[in-house]
Amino acid sequence: MPVKFETTRMDNYLFVESSGEMSSFEDGIEYIQAQVTTASREGIRRLLLDERNLTVTIDYSDILALAEYWEKNNLQTMGLRVASMPPVDAPQAQLAYETPAVNRSIMFKVFFDRQEAEDWLLNR
């Protein structure tokens, strides 16, 4: 099952609730591009990704390739700030993405607590 998600506009951020499986580099591109498009359309730059029901089965080379792809496509210049809540029992992919993303000036951070994610997202 591919990645599915629903978005809800909150006061100051976009809440993205995801499910399904990201099993390829292409799935990752499609998933992130859809979020970027939605955020741009809504005129919002902060995203809270609830990925607790998302299974990521891509390998580390694809994770690095995603960060490189988004760097080459100037994601870091859009001013997005993204907080991710991964599955508690399998956070490896999101945690693995955090470092290469940050190294490319993409504001992305993993949280296990929604309040902490919101505080970081909204600079509280």
Side-chain angles (χ1 to χ4, degrees):
M1 172 172 64
V3 178
K4 296 181 181 182
F5 65 91
E6 292 186 25
T7 59
T8 305
R9 171 101 189 234
M10 306 305 267
D11 287 336
N12 295 314
Y13 66 90
L14 191 64
F15 181 71
V16 181
E17 192 168 11
S18 307
S19 62
E21 182 177 0
M22 183 186 304
S23 59
S24 70
F25 171 79
E26 292 76 19
D27 288 347
I29 297 294
E30 185 178 316
Y31 174 58
I32 297 169
Q33 184 60 58
Q35 294 171 29
V36 169
T37 300
T38 302
S40 181
R41 184 179 62 239
E42 293 285 330
I44 205 152
R45 292 200 167 109
R46 299 177 190 286
L47 291 91
L48 177 54
L49 311 179
D50 183 347
E51 299 178 324
R52 293 176 288 188
N53 294 311
L54 178 65
T55 302
V56 181
T57 58
I58 60 176
D59 62 26
Y60 190 66
S61 65
D62 285 335
I63 289 169
L64 288 175
L66 280 172
E68 290 170 3
Y69 176 87
W70 290 113
E71 178 184 32
K72 288 178 185 172
N73 286 278
N74 299 314
L75 184 67
Q76 70 279 14
T77 64
M78 296 182 69
L80 295 177
R81 189 172 180 94
V82 181
S84 172
M85 295 184 304
V88 174
D89 59 340
Q92 297 86 350
Q94 287 88 339
L95 289 169
Y97 182 74
E98 184 177 64
T99 299
V102 170
N103 287 345
R104 288 162 179 79
S105 299
I106 298 168
M107 296 295 294
F108 179 90
K109 190 160 175 66
V110 175
F111 294 90
F112 294 94
D113 178 82
R114 182 168 177 166
Q115 187 61 56
E116 287 178 16
E118 287 178 345
D119 288 349
W120 177 83
L121 200 60
L122 302 173
N123 294 318
R124 293 189 277 202

